[in-house]
Amino acid sequence: MSRLTDINYVKGVLSRHGFTFSKALGQNFLVNPSVCPKMAQLSGADDKTGVIEIGPGAGVLTAELAELSYKVVAVELDKRLLPVLDETLADYDNVRVINADAMKLDISALIKNEFADGDVVICANLPYYITSPILMRLLEERLPVKSITVMVQKEAADRICAQPGTRASGAISAAVHYYCEPEVLFRVSPGSFIPPPKVESSVIRLNILKEPPVKAADEKLFFRVVRASFLQRRKTLTNSLSAGLSLPKQNISDALSQAGIKPNARAEEMTMQQFADISEAVAQFF
Ligand code: SAM
C-alpha cells in the first residue's frame, strides 16, 4: 500500500500546489484506503501486464497499479495535476504520465509504442461526464487489451452490465455486450471521495471477447438498430424503429415478421441475437 492512501498526505500535497477541484473535469478523487488496492488487484495488473490509466488525478490509483504492474501509462487532461503527480509518484520509475485528452489520444499507437509485448489492461476512476463516450470509444477501436476496469456511477454500471433482453437493459448494454462480458465488481460510497459525489459508484470490469457473441453482417447497421430501438423505450419496436431509422412502418413490420418478432415487442425484450436478426432483415430497405 502506498502513502497515497493517507488522506491527509493527499490533501496536503494538493493544497501545497494550490489545487482546486474542477467539477467540469469530473474531479472526485479517491481517498478510501481500501478501494484503490482492491481495484488495482481486480484489474489484472501484474509483472507481465501493462496498464493504461485514464485520469490519474493525484495518483492514488496509479501508485497501486504501479506496485503490481511492470509499467503504467497514465493519461491526464488537467495540466495543473502534472506537478502534483511528479511529487506523489516520485518513488515509481515504472509510471509515465501523458498530458492529453483521452477522448482524442491515439490509444492504439500508444499501446504499440509503450507496450511492445505482453498483455495490456485499462483501469480508471472515470470522469463521470464522459463515461459512455469514452467506454464506447475504447471498445469500438478494438484495442488489443484484455479488460477494462472502471469506476462509474452506480446507475451507469447497472445499465452497462444489464443483460440485453432484461428490463434494466438499454442501448449501452447491447453495445457493450457486443464487445465484452461486463461484470459489477463492488460498490463504492460517496464518502470514499473528495469532494464526495451526489451518487453511489460501482467498479465494473469489461472482459474483452475475442469474437462478438452474434454475427452481424453489417455492424454499423446493427448499432443503428440498437440505438433506434431504445430511442423511445416506452414505445413498440415498430414505432421506435420506424422513427429512428426513418423507414415507413410497413417496412419495419415486414422486417420484424421476417425476424420472427412480434410488432408490439419492446427494445428491452430483445436479445443480442434478435437485434442481429432485425438488422439483417431491415438491410433490404437501405
Ligand atoms: N484517478 C483519480 C482518483 O481515483 O482519485 C482521479 C479520478 S477523477 C474521477 C477523474 C480524472 O480524470 C481527473 O483527474 C480529471 O482531471 C481527469 N480527466 C477528465 N477528463 C479527462 C480526459 N478527457 N482525458 C484524460 N483525463 C481526464
Side-chain angles (χ1 to χ4, degrees):
M1 221 182 264
S2 80
R3 64 188 164 169
L4 282 156
T5 51
D6 176 356
I7 176 171
N8 293 322
Y9 170 74
V10 177
K11 277 185 167 169
V13 177
L14 289 174
S15 106
R16 223 168 343 94
H17 285 272
F19 181 81
T20 49
F21 291 92
S22 155
K23 236 186 175 170
L25 288 179
Q27 290 177 337
N28 302 95
F29 292 179
L30 271 166
V31 285
N32 178 329
S34 65
V35 174
C36 289
K38 192 165 160 190
M39 195 171 164
Q41 194 80 47
L42 292 168
S43 75
D46 61 32
D47 55 359
K48 290 185 187 63
T49 306
V51 185
I52 298 174
E53 187 193 4
I54 294 165
V60 187
L61 176 60
T62 324
E64 296 301 330
L65 292 166
E67 298 271 351
L68 300 176
S69 168
Y70 75 97
K71 182 169 185 181
V72 180
V73 176
V75 182
E76 174 57 60
L77 177 61
D78 189 347
K79 266 198 179 66
R80 298 174 307 151
L81 286 166
L82 302 183
V84 173
L85 289 163
D86 270 348
E87 183 175 336
T88 56
L89 299 174
D91 292 347
Y92 299 94
D93 57 6
N94 58 342
V95 177
R96 173 146 187 244
V97 176
I98 295 180
N99 181 213
D101 182 341
M103 283 300 289
K104 297 191 184 138
L105 185 69
D106 184 344
I107 299 180
S108 183
L110 181 144
I111 293 175
K112 262 197 209 116
N113 297 336
E114 301 284 344
F115 304 98
D117 29 51
D119 288 328
V120 178
V121 295
I122 296 176
C123 186
N125 171 12
L126 281 184
Y128 292 164
Y129 76 105
I130 45 167
T131 300
S132 299
I134 201 140
L135 280 182
M136 285 320 296
R137 177 172 183 228
L138 297 174
L139 293 171
E140 280 166 4
E141 285 195 20
R142 292 205 157 90
L143 300 168
V145 298
K146 254 177 86 174
S147 63
I148 302 175
T149 302
V150 283
M151 170 106 62
V152 299
Q153 287 190 2
K154 178 187 166 293
E155 282 70 23
D158 293 345
R159 183 72 97 198
I160 288 166
C161 297
Q163 191 65 40
T166 65
R167 266 196 97 172
S169 66
I172 185 107
S173 334
V176 163
H177 277 81
Y178 189 76
Y179 298 105
C180 58
E181 241 173 47
E183 56 180 325
V184 176
L185 298 178
F186 61 96
R187 294 266 137 88
V188 182
S189 64
S192 301
F193 304 84
I194 44 167
K198 291 204 170 66
V199 290
E200 296 265 326
S201 305
S202 290
V203 174
I204 60 174
R205 187 173 56 216
L206 312 180
N207 304 304
I208 306 295
L209 296 169
K210 289 209 165 65
E211 296 287 337
V214 292
K215 283 220 168 358
D218 180 341
E219 264 184 16
K220 270 207 176 116
L221 186 54
F222 172 85
F223 287 112
R224 267 185 78 191
V225 163
V226 167
R227 269 196 307 274
S229 302
F230 282 103
L231 266 184
Q232 302 155 298
R233 55 183 298 131
R234 304 261 162 266
K235 297 210 168 159
T236 63
L237 268 181
T238 309
N239 283 327
S240 37
L241 281 172
S242 164
L245 298 176
S246 308
L247 285 175
K249 280 191 187 159
Q250 189 55 53
N251 288 0
I252 302 295
S253 310
D254 293 347
L256 289 177
S257 130
Q258 264 177 49
I261 293 162
K262 289 185 297 186
N264 61 348
R266 283 166 211 278
E268 65 200 34
E269 296 162 2
M270 293 300 103
T271 62
M272 294 295 281
Q273 187 56 55
Q274 286 171 315
F275 280 124
D277 293 344
I278 298 172
S279 64
E280 208 102 315
V282 293
Q284 61 186 308
F285 303 116
F286 290 100

